[in-house]
Amino acid sequence: MRYVISDIHGCYREYRMLLDKIQFTEADTLYVLGDVVDRGPEPMKVLKDMMRRANVHPILGNHEYMAYQVLKKLNVEITEENAEHHLNDQDIMNYLVWIQSGGKVTADQFRQLDHTEKDEILDYIRSFRTYEEIHCGQRTYVLAHGGIHGFTEEKGLEEYRQKDFIFYRTDYTKRCFQDKNTYLVTGHTPTFLIREDKKALVYEKYGHIAIDCGCVFKGKLAAYCLDTGNITYVNHLD
C-alpha cells in the first residue's frame, strides 16, 4: 500500500504509533509531505527513522527548507580565516526567523550529533523532493507540502519554483485540476483551519486532500492510503 503523512513536527511517538497502526512493512511505501522537524519534541529521531527506511520518500516542507539554510552554515568549523565573514546579515535573519518558527528544538538536537551524523542529516534533507506525482488506477495524486502557488493547468509542474510548493497556502475552496480524477494532496495548513466544523480530521473537497491534522497542536497525525482512500489517525500524546 502507498500512504501519505504530513507535518510530523518531531512527534516521534505518534509517528511510530501510526506506522504500527497501519501495519507498515517493507512492502509498503510512505510519502512524507514535509515539516518533519521543529516544534515537537524529537525531530532528530523522526529523521533518523525515516533515513533508515528505503521505502519512505520525503518531500520538502518549509521547515526543512529553513532548517537546512541555517544548519549548513552552522555546520562549518569557524577558523581565524573565516570568522569575520562566514555569517552575513541574511544568515542571522534566517536563523532568527527559523528559531521563532519553532526551530530551537531541532537546532539543539542537531548540535548534539557527531560530525558524521550532522553531515548525514544535511545530505538527507538536501535529497528531499519538491513534489511527487503518483498514479493509482484512474486517479492521479500530486503530492506537495503547501500547494502550488500561482497554479495554472497550462504550466507544467516542473516550471514552478521550489518555494511555490512549500511556503504558500492553498485556497481549499477552489479546484486546481479540472480533471476530477486528479487530486492535490497537501499538508502545511492544519485542517482545523480549513474545515467548517474546525475538527482535526482530513479535509477532502474540490479535488483537495489536506492531511495536516495538527498533531503538534494537540490534534492528530493522519495516514492517508492512496490505494484505498482509507484514513488512519493517532491522537496527540500529552
Side-chain angles (χ1 to χ4, degrees), residues 191-209:
T191 55
F192 53 74
L193 299 177
I194 305 170
R195 294 173 58 102
E196 291 183 2
D197 60 11
K198 308 301 181 185
K199 291 184 178 180
L201 301 172
V202 167
Y203 171 90
E204 296 183 81
K205 202 171 183 180
Y206 305 121
H208 294 283
I209 303 173

Side-chain angles (χ1 to χ4, degrees), residues 72-229:
K72 71 178 181 180
K73 298 289 290 191
L74 298 182
N75 193 41
V76 173
E77 181 180 358
I78 302 301
T79 65
E80 185 176 346
E81 288 74 21
N82 68 13
E84 292 186 5
H85 61 265
H86 177 61
L87 297 178
N88 58 36
D89 290 345
Q90 185 60 56
D91 295 326
I92 301 301
M93 181 59 69
N94 289 344
Y95 176 80
L96 292 175
V97 170
W98 179 47
I99 294 300
Q100 290 171 359
S101 301
K104 185 178 185 302
V105 63
T106 303
D108 289 345
Q109 292 180 10
F110 183 82
R111 193 178 298 116
Q112 295 171 14
L113 302 176
D114 63 37
H115 183 71
T116 299
E117 289 177 313
K118 289 177 179 177
D119 286 343
E120 289 173 348
I121 290 290
L122 289 175
D123 287 344
Y124 185 58
I125 294 176
R126 188 166 55 243
S127 75
F128 282 23
R129 294 286 303 275
T130 302
Y131 66 88
E132 293 276 4
E133 190 171 3
I134 310 297
H135 301 283
C136 294
Q138 293 184 335
R139 288 189 166 198
T140 297
Y141 297 97
V142 177
L143 314 182
H145 174 65
I148 311 172
H149 181 61
F151 177 78
T152 171
E153 288 203 83
E154 287 70 40
K155 193 173 179 179
L157 294 176
E158 71 283 354
E159 297 180 65
Y160 293 90
R161 303 173 306 159
Q162 186 179 62
K163 289 184 178 180
D164 289 333
F165 292 94
I166 64 176
F167 278 106
Y168 299 93
R169 300 196 187 279
T170 293
D171 183 350
Y172 290 97
T173 67
K174 296 180 180 178
R175 180 178 294 276
C176 289
F177 300 98
Q178 295 310 303
D179 177 5
K180 293 188 177 181
N181 284 320
T182 300
Y183 298 82
L184 180 61
V185 187
T186 55
H188 191 50
T189 303
T191 55
F192 53 74
L193 299 177
I194 305 170
R195 294 173 58 102
E196 291 183 2
D197 60 11
K198 308 301 181 185
K199 291 184 178 180
L201 301 172
V202 167
Y203 171 90
E204 296 183 81
K205 202 171 183 180
Y206 305 121
H208 294 283
I209 303 173
I211 65 170
D212 173 12
C213 297
C215 182
V216 76
F217 302 115
K218 301 188 182 302
K220 305 175 189 295
L221 193 63
Y224 187 93
C225 181
L226 298 176
D227 297 285
T228 65

Side-chain angles (χ1 to χ4, degrees), residues 60-74:
L60 188 70
N62 58 300
H63 282 265
E64 285 80 40
Y65 181 92
M66 291 188 291
Y68 182 78
Q69 297 306 313
V70 173
L71 294 177
K72 71 178 181 180
K73 298 289 290 191
L74 298 182

